[in-house]
Amino acid sequence: MRLRVDPTKCRGYAICLELAPEQFSADDWGLVQAYGTPVSTSDVAAGQRAIDACPYQAIQWVDGNSRSPRLRLPLVEVNTAQVVS
Ligand code: SF4
């Protein structure tokens, strides 16, 4: 399991950094990112506290190697016979 921060939701209050500093970092502009590395069993509780405390629900668990689940979009089939020119 890994942690992921949705940059479209995060407002940079850094609560997650205080609760799980080994899982998150902030850049010079205060934008927070999760390191994205597998969270050890001993750090899961801290990661969950960060998720629970985030006021914008910007943090989530992701499985496996997925760092950007938003990129896994469903395939859309276009029926060109119905396209009106
Ligand atoms: S607690 Fe949530 S809103 Fe605040 S910096 Fe962390 S991810 Fe962003």
Side-chain angles (χ1 to χ4, degrees):
M1 299 267 288
R2 301 166 194 265
L3 288 163
R4 178 181 177 277
V5 174
D6 183 338
T8 66
K9 294 181 178 178
C10 176
R11 295 297 180 265
Y13 290 105
I15 298 168
C16 53
L17 281 171
E18 292 183 25
L19 295 174
E22 62 286 337
Q23 299 300 324
F24 301 96
S25 64
D27 62 20
D28 293 340
W29 293 277
L31 298 175
V32 173
Q33 295 181 336
Y35 286 118
T37 56
V39 177
S40 65
T41 304
S42 61
D43 289 335
V44 167
Q48 187 60 51
R49 280 195 295 273
I51 290 173
D52 294 341
C54 177
Y56 292 94
Q57 293 83 45
I59 310 168
Q60 65 180 338
W61 292 110
V62 293
D63 291 324
N65 294 323
S66 174
R67 287 186 171 195
S68 184
R70 290 179 301 156
L71 296 179
R72 287 182 285 166
L73 300 173
L75 292 176
V76 176
E77 184 174 318
V78 176
N79 184 349
T80 56
Q82 295 179 345
V83 174
V84 178
S85 57

